[in-house]
């Protein structure tokens, strides 16, 4: 009780600083209301900490407070970022790209960011309106900029917004820059922020960059001939009220597809996302309208991008002709198989190519790469780590694709973040290839399982909001390290990896060092039967994630799929009990 009273007192003291004239009247009223409310829950959540740069920059609920997304927190972050850029590139006329998606306050935040950069003497290329995240990444490289900012909270619920910080390679910032930016941001007080922009240094960009980006996306194409033969592939697409609405249909047409339909209700730009509970393509509910239109039009596949168009979702027809939503591991697996198989067939592989997957993504991809003699690299969760693998191998090896289980893939190297326009075009090419060979995407998936092994993946999100939630998540990781599970649903653990200590411990007690570019708060357990469980707190959301993967060697073909799924789901339930979930 005493600790709670102390926390309330600390939050009240911080909140009262936001009643100063430096903050606008609307903000002061919102803060005063929290101070006056006998229930201090909102006050604590808004002021118990500073919203920090995590794995994806800033991300939080919009509103007044130090732990909220508002123009003051965005302002201090931008001032600190500007200070760091100017120190990192002394004597240079620096430039940045600034963009935003469809979220509420997105344009206001983006213009504020542009003003602050320009007030610090940094040239700003500001997109004229909402644009996809991958196009912002592309523009940074294309224009030779030193950095960039995209105002987006990706697929989070409507009350969120965020701020992704990019470096000169078009990727989200990594060490040492992330630490350096945080240090500079932490030094900034509200009075240090230069809010008054220099309009002479703000240059609007739009259509010309769209054209250059769409031309670059065509580099992800493997086989144009198959597209031309199947140009009438019946495609339904939804942008989920977001940034893919113009770019993705345009990109599909540039590849040669001619039978494209859009979900009209979801073509409306709206940060409240009125047609979905959450604009996340990982949620089946978000695909309902697309499938409804797909049924009406007898479409071959239904595709969606999330609001900032970095992630994609794919729905295809199964062997019964019913809609089947592919998960992120399945789509990533299919991309990797197709790129390798068809580049090999067309003589496009020279022997120096490599793929990348994150450590929590299915091990079937590793098997595909190994069996085909193609190098693959494992990296941490978050596309900045895939981008890092591209960067360190640039000029030495050829990147041909990389992805993660959370519906993100990048099939070419002109962008350094997840890219749904390029990935959507490529999955349509894969569907065209499948149809050209008398198959559906579902048939192709079954064939991949048959050749490389069946795998079932399942992600559990344990959400714990607020300070108490953050403490609980921290304690869960501490407990797992102190008392790791002995088995997982009856499967014997043969290897345990701790990426915080970078140690891998085998069943016989021997310990080996893990070769990774940095430490990360992730635990992994591997079993003798191929079961894999990974645990990590999210860097951008108030939750801890459990990634489960189970195998079934009895899979011999499509007729076994339902049986293997059922057995895998029973195994997953047993694993959940082992972990007390």
């Amino acid at each position: 009780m005493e600790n709670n009273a102390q926390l309330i007192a600390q939050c009240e003291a911080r909140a009262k600083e936001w009643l100063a004239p430096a903050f606008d009247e609307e903000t002061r009223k919102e803060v005063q209301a929290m101070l006056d409310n006998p229930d201090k829950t909102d006050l604590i959540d808004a002021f118990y900490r500073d919203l920090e740069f995590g794995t994806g920059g800033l991300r939080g609920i919009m509103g007044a407070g130090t732990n909220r997304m508002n123009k003051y927190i965005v302002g201090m972050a931008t001032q600190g970022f500007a200070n760091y850029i100017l120190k990192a590139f002394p004597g240079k006329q620096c430039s940045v790209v600034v963009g935003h998606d469809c979220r509420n306050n997105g344009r206001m935040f983006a213009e504020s960011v542009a003003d602050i950069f320009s007030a610090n003497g940094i040239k700003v290329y500001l997109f004229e309106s909402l644009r996809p995240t991958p196009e912002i990444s592309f523009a940074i490289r294309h224009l030779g900029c030193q950095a960039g900012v995209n105002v987006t909270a990706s697929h989070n619920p409507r009350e969120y917004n965020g701020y992704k910080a990019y470096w000169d390679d078009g990727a989200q910032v990594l060490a040492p820059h992330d630490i350096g930016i945080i240090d500079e941001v932490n030094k900034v007080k509200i009075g240090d922020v230069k809010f008054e922009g220099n309009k002479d240094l703000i240059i609007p960009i739009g259509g010309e960059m769209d054209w250059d980006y769409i031309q670059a996306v065509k580099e992800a194409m493997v086989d144009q001939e198959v597209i031309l033969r199947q140009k009438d592939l019946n495609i339904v697409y939804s942008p989920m009220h977001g940034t893919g609405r113009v770019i993705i249909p345009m990109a599909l047409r540039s590849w040669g597809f001619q039978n494209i339909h859009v979900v009209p209700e979801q073509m409306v730009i709206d940060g409240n996302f009125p047609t979905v509970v959450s604009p996340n393509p990982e949620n089946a509910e978000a695909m309902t309208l697309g499938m409804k239109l797909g049924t009406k039009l007898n479409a071959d596949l239904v595709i969606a991008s999330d609001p900032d168009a970095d992630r994609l979702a794919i729905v295809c027809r199964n062997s019964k002709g019913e809609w089947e939503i592919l998960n992120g591991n399945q789509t990533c697996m299919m991309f990797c198989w197709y790129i390798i198989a068809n580049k090999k067939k067309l003589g496009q592989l020279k022997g120096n190519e490599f793929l990348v997957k994150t450590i929590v993504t299915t091990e079937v991809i590793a098997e595909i790469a190994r069996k085909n003699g193609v190098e693959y690299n494992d990296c941490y969760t978050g596309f900045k780590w895939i981008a890092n693998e591209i960067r360190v191998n640039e000029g030495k090896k050829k990147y041909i694709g990389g992805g993660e289980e959370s519906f993100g893939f990048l099939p070419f190297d002109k962008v350094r973040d997840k890219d749904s326009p390029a990935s959507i075009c490529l999955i349509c090419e894969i569907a065209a290839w499948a149809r050209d060979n008398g198959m559906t995407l579902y048939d192709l998936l079954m064939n991949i399982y048959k050749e490389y092994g069946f795998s079932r993946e399942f992600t559990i999100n344990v959400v714990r909001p607020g300070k108490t939630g953050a403490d609980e998540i921290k304690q869960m990781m501490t407990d797992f390290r102190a008392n790791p599970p002995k088995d997982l649903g009856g499967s014997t653990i043969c290897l345990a990896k701790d990426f915080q200590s970078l140690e891998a411990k085998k069943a016989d007690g021997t310990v080996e060092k893990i070769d990774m570019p940095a430490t990360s708060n992730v635990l992994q357990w591997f079993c003798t039967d191929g079961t894999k469980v990974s645990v990590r707190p999210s860097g951008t959301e108030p939750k801890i994630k459990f990634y489960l993967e189970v195998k079934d060697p009895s899979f011999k073909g499509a007729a076994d799929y339902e049986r293997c799924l059922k057995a895998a789901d029973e195994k997953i339930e047993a694993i959940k009990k082992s972990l007390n979930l």
Side-chain angles (χ1 to χ4, degrees), residues 539-559:
T540 55
E541 299 169 86
K543 62 187 177 186
I544 183 168
K545 303 182 84 167
F546 295 80
Y547 306 83
L548 282 54
E549 179 172 7
V550 298
K551 308 281 191 184
D552 191 335
S554 72
F555 184 93
K556 297 293 184 284

Side-chain angles (χ1 to χ4, degrees), residues 160-173:
Y160 282 79
N161 213 325
Y163 178 112
K164 288 184 179 179
Y166 290 83
W167 203 239
D168 59 356
D169 62 346
Q172 288 184 59
V173 290

Side-chain angles (χ1 to χ4, degrees), residues 28 40 48 63 74 114 120 129 145 150 189 192 234 237 298 306-307 317 335 396 455 483 487 495 505 510 532 539 558:
R28 294 199 302 269
K40 300 301 180 187
Y48 84 90
V74 167
N120 283 275
S129 61
C145 295
N150 192 25
K189 303 297 180 207
D192 302 328
N234 194 345
Y237 165 68
N298 195 29
D306 68 346
R317 295 190 183 276
F335 280 129
K396 296 176 280 188
S455 175
N483 299 294
D487 68 85
L495 179 65
K505 189 175 184 179
T510 57
K532 179 179 88 170

Side-chain angles (χ1 to χ4, degrees), residues 329-470:
N329 281 289
Q330 291 170 328
T331 58
C332 192
M333 190 168 71
M334 207 175 287
F335 280 129
C336 292
W337 178 86
Y338 180 81
I339 289 167
I340 290 174
N342 286 280
K343 280 184 177 288
K344 184 182 277 189
K345 191 174 76 175
L346 295 167
Q348 295 175 11
L349 295 184
K350 309 301 179 189
N352 66 334
E353 293 82 8
F354 72 101
L355 289 167
V356 189
K357 76 171 188 69
T358 66
I359 57 174
V360 301
T361 302
T362 177
E363 295 302 314
V364 177
I365 292 168
E367 189 64 18
I368 292 169
R370 275 193 292 265
K371 276 195 174 180
N372 288 281
V374 173
E375 181 185 334
Y376 89 94
N377 300 337
D378 265 324
C379 68
Y380 287 132
T381 306
F383 238 82
K384 63 183 182 180
W385 292 107
I386 292 176
N388 184 58
E389 291 295 322
I390 303 173
R391 184 181 60 79
V392 298
N393 288 292
E394 209 156 13
K396 296 176 280 188
K397 298 173 185 175
K398 174 67 176 170
Y399 171 85
I400 55 171
E404 59 188 7
E405 94 316 322
S406 56
F407 293 73
F409 197 82
L410 176 64
F412 70 132
D413 67 359
K414 288 286 177 70
V415 167
R416 298 297 165 88
D417 208 339
K418 296 183 284 286
D419 190 316
S420 80
S423 299
I424 282 173
C425 288
L426 184 57
I427 201 67
C428 289
E429 179 186 325
I430 297 170
W433 178 88
R435 195 166 80 162
D436 211 43
N437 285 273
M439 292 187 288
T440 63
L441 278 181
Y442 179 86
D443 296 330
L444 174 58
L445 178 65
M446 295 302 109
N447 288 350
I448 294 171
Y449 280 141
K450 183 179 178 181
E451 187 173 355
Y452 298 98
F454 171 83
S455 175
R456 170 73 157 161
E457 304 82 23
F458 190 80
T459 302
I460 302 163
N461 295 302
V462 179
V463 179
R464 295 289 185 268
K467 183 184 186 306
T468 54

Side-chain angles (χ1 to χ4, degrees), residues 493-511:
I493 295 172
C494 60
L495 179 65
K497 292 184 178 182
D498 187 340
F499 291 91
Q500 193 159 272
S501 61
L502 291 180
E503 289 183 341
K505 189 175 184 179
K506 295 182 179 177
D508 62 7
T510 57
V511 177

Side-chain angles (χ1 to χ4, degrees), residues 291 295 298-302 314-326 330 334 438-446 449 558-559 561-562 565:
M291 289 188 287
T295 299
N298 195 29
D300 293 301
L301 68 165
V302 176
I314 304 157
V315 190
C316 63
R317 295 190 183 276
N318 63 21
S319 54
K320 300 170 189 169
E322 299 164 344
W323 290 120
E324 181 95 9
I325 301 174
L326 302 181
Q330 291 170 328
M334 207 175 287
M439 292 187 288
T440 63
L441 278 181
Y442 179 86
D443 296 330
L444 174 58
L445 178 65
M446 295 302 109
Y449 280 141
Y561 187 55
E562 293 299 327
L565 275 184

